[in-house]
Amino acid sequence: MPEPRFLVVRLGSLGDIVHTFPAVAALRASFPKAEIVWLTHPRWKALVESSELATEIWETETRAYKSLREIIGQIHKTKFSAAIDYQGLWKSAALPFLGGVPRRIGFSSKTIREFGVPVLYTDRVHCSRTHIADQNGELSQCAGASNGVAPVTLSVPAIQEVFVLQLLRGFAIERYVVLSPAGGWRSKCWPPDRYSALCKKIRATLGLRCVVNYGPGEDDLVSAIKAASEGADPIAYNGSLIQLMALLRNAVCIVGGDTGPLHLAVALGTPAVAIFGPTDQARNGPYRPGDAPSVDIVLRSPHAVTSYKRGDQAAPSILEVDVDAVFDAVRRQVESRR
């Protein structure tokens, strides 16, 4: 019997791709000689490459008609055994459907976010697990994987690691804590003034500098943190994705909300202090597959109400997590890594 040829569809974003890795790793473990083609947005190609799970990585820009037409034609010509849509959106489900893949695996309407999408699948999986990474694993099992998830090791080019560490040494930084204050929508983000207060406590009590990671459009956020941090002197950082991976892998720990960089840091083995508000850590929290011991600390108010509604102000529940509680969690992580 010929080896299967799988089309994996997970176009974005950072945290979601990270939470897809364990499921694709399980697929690779069950079918070591299979062809696995991962379809993603060009922005995330390097991230997918770092997992070393895919035989090929195809890129598509779903907002460009020419790119869509070309990728659908490419899917048609390749004759896949099955497509697995780990994203569950119309734009991701439509690609293998229009590409004529005979078996199309995706989530049932119970799990999926956009109404009607499952009509494009031949196999609709009713998920029984809670965490999104485990739900992704249920799709892999539907495709024939013996286990839902498997461990993943992300590779970081040595030259990028050396570059980042030398850059930090230029600021006299050897050991550091990464802060990831942004998160796509402000309602799940801890406020910048609290990150500033945390910077000062970490510098004064633990003797460590903080590196504040930020992305496009987040300059105002990092500027506010730096301005209010006074003598703590945090470093603002907005390097490439691969350089970010090097930064995260060598950090003592990361502090952040339900953000892509926090999930990436966890996948790289870095302990996390995760501050959760409206989103549920049982579904979206730090994830370490298999029997890997959890070294992460999640802080969430007992009064938090789960909601994925995108707001432009910090949710009341996330404001109930105070600076002292976060600092105590950071102190424990730092002391455990001495």
Side-chain angles (χ1 to χ4, degrees), residues 1 14 51 65 78 83 99 102 108 149 174 224 228 269 288 298 307 318 320:
M1 179 179 292
L14 175 53
S51 71
Y65 173 75
T78 308
S108 72
V149 297
E174 293 285 344
R288 298 181 188 269
V298 180
S307 169
I318 209 165
E320 293 181 25

Side-chain angles (χ1 to χ4, degrees), residues 109-239:
S109 56
K110 175 187 173 184
T111 305
I112 221 148
R113 197 169 73 213
E114 292 186 349
F115 177 77
V117 172
V119 72
L120 299 181
Y121 304 136
T122 59
D123 297 59
R124 303 170 187 91
V125 177
H126 297 267
C127 293
S128 60
R129 307 296 296 276
T130 302
H131 199 284
I132 186 59
D134 290 320
Q135 292 179 1
N136 287 332
E138 292 183 78
L139 297 188
S140 293
Q141 286 182 299
C142 181
S146 55
N147 294 301
V149 297
V152 181
T153 300
L154 303 183
S155 63
V156 180
I159 190 170
Q160 297 290 1
E161 200 153 22
V162 168
F163 171 81
V164 170
L165 294 179
Q166 286 183 341
L167 178 68
L168 292 175
R169 288 186 189 115
F171 292 97
I173 295 175
E174 293 285 344
R175 299 180 79 233
Y176 56 92
V177 174
V178 172
L179 308 183
S180 182
W185 22 298
R186 293 292 172 95
S187 55
K188 63 175 182 174
C189 296
W190 208 46
D193 63 310
R194 300 199 183 183
Y195 278 105
S196 301
L198 180 65
C199 275
K200 290 188 281 188
K201 287 180 75 74
I202 290 173
R203 184 71 186 271
T205 308
L206 302 177
L208 297 176
R209 300 268 293 279
C210 291
V211 179
V212 185
N213 174 65
Y214 70 105
E218 296 166 358
D219 303 66
D220 60 332
L221 185 63
V222 74
S223 296
I225 293 172
K226 282 180 64 66
S229 294
E230 299 169 354
D233 196 19
I235 302 299
Y237 187 84
N238 68 339

Side-chain angles (χ1 to χ4, degrees), residues 5 51 238 260 266 332:
R5 179 179 288 158
S51 71
N238 68 339
V266 171
R332 283 184 278 156

